Amino acid sequence: MNLLASSSDGIGGGAFTAIITLSVIWAVLVIAGWWKIFAKADRPGWAALIPIYNLYVMCKVAGRSGAFIILFLIPIVNVVAYWVLMLDIARAFGKGVAYWLGLVFFAPIFSVMLGFGSAKYLGPVVGTIKACRRAKLAPASGG
């Protein structure tokens, strides 16, 4: 009796193939989207291919310090750090909270929309009122 023998009906193999295919499609969409996002922000597009460096470049596009990536090493904190980073990136392109939710929950679709769409990179908005006004996310003061 061979316990390691696979089933000959192919049911498990088809599901595995579908999962792998969908994973590859997901990865290609995310990489293509971030490549274009980085290019719009005058960063190297190929950075989307390098696992930790792409996170560093995302921080720079968002206006965060490169040290911000340390937060991604802390469980639970990394989820919040990702949300904050995606919000900052959405704002850097003049997008609001609804787009941020799209980047968080539907990354392949919204990264492609941001990268290949008509959105312009306005620059980082972290800590700068002037950049927030440029992105029309903060009211202009009267003085």
mmCIF file of all heavy atoms in Angstrom, residues 54-97:
data_model
loop_
_atom_site.group_PDB
_atom_site.id
_atom_site.type_symbol
_atom_site.label_atom_id
_atom_site.label_comp_id
_atom_site.label_asym_id
_atom_site.label_seq_id
_atom_site.Cartn_x
_atom_site.Cartn_y
_atom_site.Cartn_z
ATOM 1 N N ASN A 54 11.124 47.133 -2.903
ATOM 2 C CA ASN A 54 9.865 47.734 -3.367
ATOM 3 C C ASN A 54 9.099 48.379 -2.213
ATOM 4 O O ASN A 54 8.447 49.403 -2.385
ATOM 5 C CB ASN A 54 9.003 46.747 -4.152
ATOM 6 C CG ASN A 54 8.461 45.606 -3.343
ATOM 7 O OD1 ASN A 54 8.588 45.557 -2.125
ATOM 8 N ND2 ASN A 54 7.861 44.656 -4.024
ATOM 9 N N LEU A 55 9.178 47.812 -1.048
ATOM 10 C CA LEU A 55 8.540 48.401 0.128
ATOM 11 C C LEU A 55 9.227 49.713 0.501
ATOM 12 O O LEU A 55 8.567 50.697 0.850
ATOM 13 C CB LEU A 55 8.585 47.410 1.294
ATOM 14 C CG LEU A 55 7.781 47.731 2.519
ATOM 15 C CD1 LEU A 55 6.321 47.941 2.180
ATOM 16 C CD2 LEU A 55 7.931 46.620 3.531
ATOM 17 N N TYR A 56 10.551 49.746 0.399
ATOM 18 C CA TYR A 56 11.319 50.964 0.656
ATOM 19 C C TYR A 56 10.896 52.062 -0.330
ATOM 20 O O TYR A 56 10.677 53.211 0.060
ATOM 21 C CB TYR A 56 12.813 50.669 0.537
ATOM 22 C CG TYR A 56 13.680 51.894 0.617
ATOM 23 C CD1 TYR A 56 13.988 52.466 1.847
ATOM 24 C CD2 TYR A 56 14.184 52.485 -0.531
ATOM 25 C CE1 TYR A 56 14.782 53.602 1.931
ATOM 26 C CE2 TYR A 56 14.977 53.619 -0.466
ATOM 27 C CZ TYR A 56 15.276 54.166 0.767
ATOM 28 O OH TYR A 56 16.049 55.293 0.837
ATOM 29 N N VAL A 57 10.763 51.705 -1.606
ATOM 30 C CA VAL A 57 10.360 52.681 -2.619
ATOM 31 C C VAL A 57 8.927 53.145 -2.375
ATOM 32 O O VAL A 57 8.616 54.325 -2.535
ATOM 33 C CB VAL A 57 10.541 52.109 -4.039
ATOM 34 C CG1 VAL A 57 9.975 53.051 -5.095
ATOM 35 C CG2 VAL A 57 12.017 51.841 -4.315
ATOM 36 N N MET A 58 8.045 52.241 -1.953
ATOM 37 C CA MET A 58 6.680 52.651 -1.606
ATOM 38 C C MET A 58 6.708 53.702 -0.501
ATOM 39 O O MET A 58 5.962 54.680 -0.556
ATOM 40 C CB MET A 58 5.866 51.448 -1.125
ATOM 41 C CG MET A 58 5.363 50.542 -2.192
ATOM 42 S SD MET A 58 4.364 49.241 -1.408
ATOM 43 C CE MET A 58 4.440 47.995 -2.660
ATOM 44 N N CYS A 59 7.563 53.492 0.489
ATOM 45 C CA CYS A 59 7.686 54.466 1.583
ATOM 46 C C CYS A 59 8.143 55.814 1.050
ATOM 47 O O CYS A 59 7.630 56.860 1.460
ATOM 48 C CB CYS A 59 8.658 53.963 2.636
ATOM 49 S SG CYS A 59 8.059 52.569 3.593
ATOM 50 N N LYS A 60 9.089 55.815 0.135
ATOM 51 C CA LYS A 60 9.591 57.067 -0.432
ATOM 52 C C LYS A 60 8.520 57.756 -1.283
ATOM 53 O O LYS A 60 8.383 58.972 -1.229
ATOM 54 C CB LYS A 60 10.846 56.811 -1.268
ATOM 55 C CG LYS A 60 12.036 56.402 -0.423
ATOM 56 C CD LYS A 60 12.298 57.473 0.609
ATOM 57 C CE LYS A 60 13.480 57.169 1.474
ATOM 58 N NZ LYS A 60 13.730 58.212 2.468
ATOM 59 N N VAL A 61 7.761 56.989 -2.054
ATOM 60 C CA VAL A 61 6.671 57.558 -2.852
ATOM 61 C C VAL A 61 5.634 58.201 -1.930
ATOM 62 O O VAL A 61 5.093 59.261 -2.216
ATOM 63 C CB VAL A 61 6.022 56.475 -3.746
ATOM 64 C CG1 VAL A 61 4.718 56.973 -4.361
ATOM 65 C CG2 VAL A 61 6.988 56.030 -4.833
ATOM 66 N N ALA A 62 5.381 57.565 -0.802
ATOM 67 C CA ALA A 62 4.392 58.065 0.154
ATOM 68 C C ALA A 62 4.933 59.207 1.003
ATOM 69 O O ALA A 62 4.169 59.866 1.708
ATOM 70 C CB ALA A 62 3.930 56.936 1.055
ATOM 71 N N GLY A 63 6.240 59.442 0.961
ATOM 72 C CA GLY A 63 6.826 60.505 1.773
ATOM 73 C C GLY A 63 7.248 60.042 3.150
ATOM 74 O O GLY A 63 7.555 60.865 4.018
ATOM 75 N N ARG A 64 7.286 58.768 3.356
ATOM 76 C CA ARG A 64 7.701 58.209 4.642
ATOM 77 C C ARG A 64 9.201 57.941 4.638
ATOM 78 O O ARG A 64 9.816 57.769 3.590
ATOM 79 C CB ARG A 64 6.973 56.888 4.915
ATOM 80 C CG ARG A 64 5.497 57.023 5.072
ATOM 81 C CD ARG A 64 5.159 57.406 6.463
ATOM 82 N NE ARG A 64 3.733 57.706 6.590
ATOM 83 C CZ ARG A 64 3.213 58.164 7.696
ATOM 84 N NH1 ARG A 64 3.961 58.363 8.748
ATOM 85 N NH2 ARG A 64 1.939 58.445 7.753
ATOM 86 N N SER A 65 9.761 57.872 5.808
ATOM 87 C CA SER A 65 11.168 57.528 5.952
ATOM 88 C C SER A 65 11.372 56.066 5.559
ATOM 89 O O SER A 65 10.472 55.240 5.718
ATOM 90 C CB SER A 65 11.580 57.725 7.413
ATOM 91 O OG SER A 65 12.797 57.079 7.671
ATOM 92 N N GLY A 66 12.553 55.763 5.074
ATOM 93 C CA GLY A 66 12.866 54.375 4.745
ATOM 94 C C GLY A 66 12.800 53.477 5.966
ATOM 95 O O GLY A 66 12.554 52.277 5.861
ATOM 96 N N ALA A 67 13.000 54.058 7.147
ATOM 97 C CA ALA A 67 12.941 53.287 8.387
ATOM 98 C C ALA A 67 11.523 52.808 8.703
ATOM 99 O O ALA A 67 11.335 51.934 9.548
ATOM 100 C CB ALA A 67 13.476 54.113 9.545
ATOM 101 N N PHE A 68 10.544 53.360 8.013
ATOM 102 C CA PHE A 68 9.141 52.958 8.208
ATOM 103 C C PHE A 68 8.962 51.464 7.943
ATOM 104 O O PHE A 68 8.069 50.836 8.513
ATOM 105 C CB PHE A 68 8.246 53.787 7.274
ATOM 106 C CG PHE A 68 6.780 53.679 7.556
ATOM 107 C CD1 PHE A 68 6.209 54.366 8.612
ATOM 108 C CD2 PHE A 68 5.953 52.905 6.759
ATOM 109 C CE1 PHE A 68 4.845 54.279 8.872
ATOM 110 C CE2 PHE A 68 4.591 52.810 7.004
ATOM 111 C CZ PHE A 68 4.040 53.507 8.066
ATOM 112 N N ILE A 69 9.820 50.876 7.109
ATOM 113 C CA ILE A 69 9.683 49.452 6.789
ATOM 114 C C ILE A 69 9.948 48.557 7.991
ATOM 115 O O ILE A 69 9.530 47.400 7.988
ATOM 116 C CB ILE A 69 10.551 49.018 5.586
ATOM 117 C CG1 ILE A 69 12.030 49.170 5.875
ATOM 118 C CG2 ILE A 69 10.162 49.749 4.346
ATOM 119 C CD1 ILE A 69 12.926 48.639 4.776
ATOM 120 N N ILE A 70 10.587 49.079 9.016
ATOM 121 C CA ILE A 70 10.814 48.291 10.235
ATOM 122 C C ILE A 70 9.481 47.898 10.863
ATOM 123 O O ILE A 70 9.345 46.814 11.440
ATOM 124 C CB ILE A 70 11.707 49.068 11.224
ATOM 125 C CG1 ILE A 70 13.113 49.189 10.642
ATOM 126 C CG2 ILE A 70 11.739 48.407 12.588
ATOM 127 C CD1 ILE A 70 14.028 50.103 11.404
ATOM 128 N N LEU A 71 8.483 48.751 10.728
ATOM 129 C CA LEU A 71 7.159 48.451 11.281
ATOM 130 C C LEU A 71 6.549 47.205 10.649
ATOM 131 O O LEU A 71 5.700 46.557 11.249
ATOM 132 C CB LEU A 71 6.221 49.643 11.099
ATOM 133 C CG LEU A 71 6.622 50.922 11.835
ATOM 134 C CD1 LEU A 71 5.661 52.048 11.487
ATOM 135 C CD2 LEU A 71 6.667 50.683 13.334
ATOM 136 N N PHE A 72 6.965 46.878 9.429
ATOM 137 C CA PHE A 72 6.437 45.700 8.748
ATOM 138 C C PHE A 72 6.978 44.397 9.339
ATOM 139 O O PHE A 72 6.511 43.321 8.991
ATOM 140 C CB PHE A 72 6.727 45.778 7.250
ATOM 141 C CG PHE A 72 5.849 46.771 6.546
ATOM 142 C CD1 PHE A 72 6.196 48.111 6.495
ATOM 143 C CD2 PHE A 72 4.665 46.372 5.967
ATOM 144 C CE1 PHE A 72 5.378 49.033 5.868
ATOM 145 C CE2 PHE A 72 3.838 47.291 5.331
ATOM 146 C CZ PHE A 72 4.190 48.618 5.285
ATOM 147 N N LEU A 73 7.939 44.483 10.247
ATOM 148 C CA LEU A 73 8.485 43.298 10.898
ATOM 149 C C LEU A 73 7.746 42.945 12.186
ATOM 150 O O LEU A 73 7.981 41.889 12.759
ATOM 151 C CB LEU A 73 9.976 43.507 11.206
ATOM 152 C CG LEU A 73 10.867 43.787 9.998
ATOM 153 C CD1 LEU A 73 12.270 44.128 10.462
ATOM 154 C CD2 LEU A 73 10.871 42.603 9.056
ATOM 155 N N ILE A 74 6.861 43.828 12.626
ATOM 156 C CA ILE A 74 6.149 43.636 13.890
ATOM 157 C C ILE A 74 4.737 43.144 13.599
ATOM 158 O O ILE A 74 3.973 43.832 12.913
ATOM 159 C CB ILE A 74 6.091 44.951 14.690
ATOM 160 C CG1 ILE A 74 7.503 45.506 14.893
ATOM 161 C CG2 ILE A 74 5.379 44.738 16.020
ATOM 162 C CD1 ILE A 74 7.531 46.931 15.396
ATOM 163 N N PRO A 75 4.389 41.943 14.106
ATOM 164 C CA PRO A 75 3.038 41.416 13.857
ATOM 165 C C PRO A 75 1.956 42.389 14.331
ATOM 166 O O PRO A 75 2.107 43.081 15.320
ATOM 167 C CB PRO A 75 3.007 40.119 14.677
ATOM 168 C CG PRO A 75 4.434 39.735 14.848
ATOM 169 C CD PRO A 75 5.203 41.034 14.896
ATOM 170 N N ILE A 76 0.873 42.439 13.610
ATOM 171 C CA ILE A 76 -0.301 43.294 13.815
ATOM 172 C C ILE A 76 0.019 44.749 13.470
ATOM 173 O O ILE A 76 -0.735 45.385 12.747
ATOM 174 C CB ILE A 76 -0.909 43.160 15.224
ATOM 175 C CG1 ILE A 76 -1.343 41.709 15.442
ATOM 176 C CG2 ILE A 76 -2.086 44.114 15.397
ATOM 177 C CD1 ILE A 76 -1.783 41.398 16.840
ATOM 178 N N VAL A 77 1.146 45.253 13.944
ATOM 179 C CA VAL A 77 1.568 46.606 13.592
ATOM 180 C C VAL A 77 1.783 46.691 12.082
ATOM 181 O O VAL A 77 1.496 47.716 11.466
ATOM 182 C CB VAL A 77 2.852 46.999 14.360
ATOM 183 C CG1 VAL A 77 3.400 48.328 13.881
ATOM 184 C CG2 VAL A 77 2.577 47.031 15.852
ATOM 185 N N ASN A 78 2.258 45.594 11.483
ATOM 186 C CA ASN A 78 2.520 45.605 10.039
ATOM 187 C C ASN A 78 1.237 45.833 9.228
ATOM 188 O O ASN A 78 1.270 46.471 8.185
ATOM 189 C CB ASN A 78 3.252 44.348 9.585
ATOM 190 C CG ASN A 78 2.500 43.072 9.879
ATOM 191 O OD1 ASN A 78 1.381 43.094 10.391
ATOM 192 N ND2 ASN A 78 3.113 41.954 9.580
ATOM 193 N N VAL A 79 0.126 45.345 9.712
ATOM 194 C CA VAL A 79 -1.150 45.552 9.020
ATOM 195 C C VAL A 79 -1.518 47.031 9.047
ATOM 196 O O VAL A 79 -1.883 47.619 8.021
ATOM 197 C CB VAL A 79 -2.271 44.690 9.644
ATOM 198 C CG1 VAL A 79 -3.611 45.015 9.032
ATOM 199 C CG2 VAL A 79 -1.948 43.216 9.502
ATOM 200 N N VAL A 80 -1.394 47.652 10.199
ATOM 201 C CA VAL A 80 -1.698 49.070 10.334
ATOM 202 C C VAL A 80 -0.715 49.902 9.508
ATOM 203 O O VAL A 80 -1.106 50.863 8.839
ATOM 204 C CB VAL A 80 -1.685 49.502 11.819
ATOM 205 C CG1 VAL A 80 -1.888 50.998 11.959
ATOM 206 C CG2 VAL A 80 -2.736 48.737 12.604
ATOM 207 N N ALA A 81 0.555 49.528 9.519
ATOM 208 C CA ALA A 81 1.567 50.240 8.733
ATOM 209 C C ALA A 81 1.240 50.158 7.247
ATOM 210 O O ALA A 81 1.392 51.147 6.517
ATOM 211 C CB ALA A 81 2.954 49.651 9.005
ATOM 212 N N TYR A 82 0.772 49.010 6.791
ATOM 213 C CA TYR A 82 0.382 48.852 5.384
ATOM 214 C C TYR A 82 -0.789 49.773 5.048
ATOM 215 O O TYR A 82 -0.787 50.437 4.018
ATOM 216 C CB TYR A 82 0.029 47.389 5.095
ATOM 217 C CG TYR A 82 -0.469 47.160 3.694
ATOM 218 C CD1 TYR A 82 0.405 47.179 2.616
ATOM 219 C CD2 TYR A 82 -1.821 46.943 3.443
ATOM 220 C CE1 TYR A 82 -0.050 46.984 1.320
ATOM 221 C CE2 TYR A 82 -2.286 46.739 2.153
ATOM 222 C CZ TYR A 82 -1.395 46.754 1.102
ATOM 223 O OH TYR A 82 -1.854 46.562 -0.180
ATOM 224 N N TRP A 83 -1.779 49.818 5.934
ATOM 225 C CA TRP A 83 -2.939 50.690 5.717
ATOM 226 C C TRP A 83 -2.500 52.149 5.625
ATOM 227 O O TRP A 83 -2.952 52.890 4.756
ATOM 228 C CB TRP A 83 -3.960 50.534 6.827
ATOM 229 C CG TRP A 83 -4.653 49.207 6.860
ATOM 230 C CD1 TRP A 83 -4.677 48.259 5.887
ATOM 231 C CD2 TRP A 83 -5.427 48.687 7.936
ATOM 232 N NE1 TRP A 83 -5.415 47.179 6.291
ATOM 233 C CE2 TRP A 83 -5.886 47.416 7.546
ATOM 234 C CE3 TRP A 83 -5.765 49.162 9.199
ATOM 235 C CZ2 TRP A 83 -6.673 46.620 8.361
ATOM 236 C CZ3 TRP A 83 -6.554 48.367 10.013
ATOM 237 C CH2 TRP A 83 -7.004 47.112 9.585
ATOM 238 N N VAL A 84 -1.625 52.571 6.544
ATOM 239 C CA VAL A 84 -1.138 53.952 6.553
ATOM 240 C C VAL A 84 -0.364 54.239 5.274
ATOM 241 O O VAL A 84 -0.542 55.290 4.646
ATOM 242 C CB VAL A 84 -0.267 54.203 7.803
ATOM 243 C CG1 VAL A 84 0.482 55.523 7.707
ATOM 244 C CG2 VAL A 84 -1.118 54.161 9.066
ATOM 245 N N LEU A 85 0.480 53.314 4.872
ATOM 246 C CA LEU A 85 1.286 53.496 3.665
ATOM 247 C C LEU A 85 0.399 53.618 2.424
ATOM 248 O O LEU A 85 0.609 54.477 1.573
ATOM 249 C CB LEU A 85 2.268 52.337 3.512
ATOM 250 C CG LEU A 85 3.323 52.471 2.430
ATOM 251 C CD1 LEU A 85 4.204 53.688 2.676
ATOM 252 C CD2 LEU A 85 4.169 51.210 2.365
ATOM 253 N N MET A 86 -0.621 52.776 2.324
ATOM 254 C CA MET A 86 -1.525 52.843 1.171
ATOM 255 C C MET A 86 -2.327 54.149 1.168
ATOM 256 O O MET A 86 -2.583 54.727 0.117
ATOM 257 C CB MET A 86 -2.474 51.639 1.148
ATOM 258 C CG MET A 86 -1.799 50.315 0.845
ATOM 259 S SD MET A 86 -0.939 50.279 -0.738
ATOM 260 C CE MET A 86 0.761 50.328 -0.215
ATOM 261 N N LEU A 87 -2.714 54.636 2.358
ATOM 262 C CA LEU A 87 -3.411 55.923 2.442
ATOM 263 C C LEU A 87 -2.511 57.050 1.968
ATOM 264 O O LEU A 87 -2.935 57.922 1.198
ATOM 265 C CB LEU A 87 -3.901 56.192 3.869
ATOM 266 C CG LEU A 87 -4.649 57.505 4.080
ATOM 267 C CD1 LEU A 87 -5.903 57.575 3.225
ATOM 268 C CD2 LEU A 87 -4.986 57.683 5.547
ATOM 269 N N ASP A 88 -1.258 57.026 2.392
ATOM 270 C CA ASP A 88 -0.312 58.057 1.973
ATOM 271 C C ASP A 88 -0.064 58.011 0.469
ATOM 272 O O ASP A 88 0.065 59.052 -0.176
ATOM 273 C CB ASP A 88 1.010 57.900 2.722
ATOM 274 C CG ASP A 88 0.880 58.198 4.203
ATOM 275 O OD1 ASP A 88 -0.109 58.847 4.598
ATOM 276 O OD2 ASP A 88 1.770 57.771 4.960
ATOM 277 N N ILE A 89 -0.008 56.822 -0.092
ATOM 278 C CA ILE A 89 0.197 56.692 -1.533
ATOM 279 C C ILE A 89 -1.036 57.188 -2.287
ATOM 280 O O ILE A 89 -0.924 57.901 -3.284
ATOM 281 C CB ILE A 89 0.572 55.249 -1.916
ATOM 282 C CG1 ILE A 89 2.001 54.967 -1.439
ATOM 283 C CG2 ILE A 89 0.444 55.015 -3.416
ATOM 284 C CD1 ILE A 89 2.455 53.542 -1.592
ATOM 285 N N ALA A 90 -2.213 56.830 -1.811
ATOM 286 C CA ALA A 90 -3.437 57.322 -2.446
ATOM 287 C C ALA A 90 -3.467 58.848 -2.432
ATOM 288 O O ALA A 90 -3.780 59.488 -3.436
ATOM 289 C CB ALA A 90 -4.667 56.752 -1.747
ATOM 290 N N ARG A 91 -3.110 59.445 -1.314
ATOM 291 C CA ARG A 91 -3.098 60.909 -1.204
ATOM 292 C C ARG A 91 -2.017 61.526 -2.080
ATOM 293 O O ARG A 91 -2.201 62.618 -2.604
ATOM 294 C CB ARG A 91 -2.899 61.320 0.246
ATOM 295 C CG ARG A 91 -4.138 61.095 1.074
ATOM 296 C CD ARG A 91 -3.944 61.563 2.473
ATOM 297 N NE ARG A 91 -5.189 61.483 3.213
ATOM 298 C CZ ARG A 91 -5.267 61.595 4.524
ATOM 299 N NH1 ARG A 91 -4.186 61.807 5.239
ATOM 300 N NH2 ARG A 91 -6.434 61.510 5.119
ATOM 301 N N ALA A 92 -0.892 60.848 -2.226
ATOM 302 C CA ALA A 92 0.189 61.361 -3.073
ATOM 303 C C ALA A 92 -0.245 61.442 -4.537
ATOM 304 O O ALA A 92 0.344 62.184 -5.319
ATOM 305 C CB ALA A 92 1.430 60.487 -2.935
ATOM 306 N N PHE A 93 -1.269 60.684 -4.885
ATOM 307 C CA PHE A 93 -1.812 60.725 -6.241
ATOM 308 C C PHE A 93 -3.136 61.478 -6.303
ATOM 309 O O PHE A 93 -3.849 61.407 -7.291
ATOM 310 C CB PHE A 93 -1.977 59.308 -6.793
ATOM 311 C CG PHE A 93 -0.684 58.708 -7.270
ATOM 312 C CD1 PHE A 93 0.130 58.007 -6.415
ATOM 313 C CD2 PHE A 93 -0.266 58.884 -8.586
ATOM 314 C CE1 PHE A 93 1.332 57.473 -6.845
ATOM 315 C CE2 PHE A 93 0.930 58.348 -9.027
ATOM 316 C CZ PHE A 93 1.741 57.643 -8.157
ATOM 317 N N GLY A 94 -3.468 62.192 -5.225
ATOM 318 C CA GLY A 94 -4.679 63.000 -5.211
ATOM 319 C C GLY A 94 -5.949 62.201 -5.017
ATOM 320 O O GLY A 94 -7.038 62.684 -5.321
ATOM 321 N N LYS A 95 -5.844 61.004 -4.508
ATOM 322 C CA LYS A 95 -7.012 60.144 -4.287
ATOM 323 C C LYS A 95 -7.416 60.197 -2.820
ATOM 324 O O LYS A 95 -6.624 60.541 -1.953
ATOM 325 C CB LYS A 95 -6.710 58.695 -4.690
ATOM 326 C CG LYS A 95 -6.251 58.535 -6.132
ATOM 327 C CD LYS A 95 -7.340 58.908 -7.094
ATOM 328 C CE LYS A 95 -6.896 58.684 -8.531
ATOM 329 N NZ LYS A 95 -7.907 59.066 -9.485
ATOM 330 N N GLY A 96 -8.648 59.811 -2.553
ATOM 331 C CA GLY A 96 -9.181 59.875 -1.197
ATOM 332 C C GLY A 96 -9.303 58.522 -0.525
ATOM 333 O O GLY A 96 -8.688 57.533 -0.926
ATOM 334 N N VAL A 97 -10.154 58.491 0.482
ATOM 335 C CA VAL A 97 -10.313 57.309 1.320
ATOM 336 C C VAL A 97 -10.907 56.129 0.543
ATOM 337 O O VAL A 97 -10.503 54.987 0.750
ATOM 338 C CB VAL A 97 -11.176 57.646 2.558
ATOM 339 C CG1 VAL A 97 -11.488 56.407 3.367
ATOM 340 C CG2 VAL A 97 -10.455 58.673 3.425
#
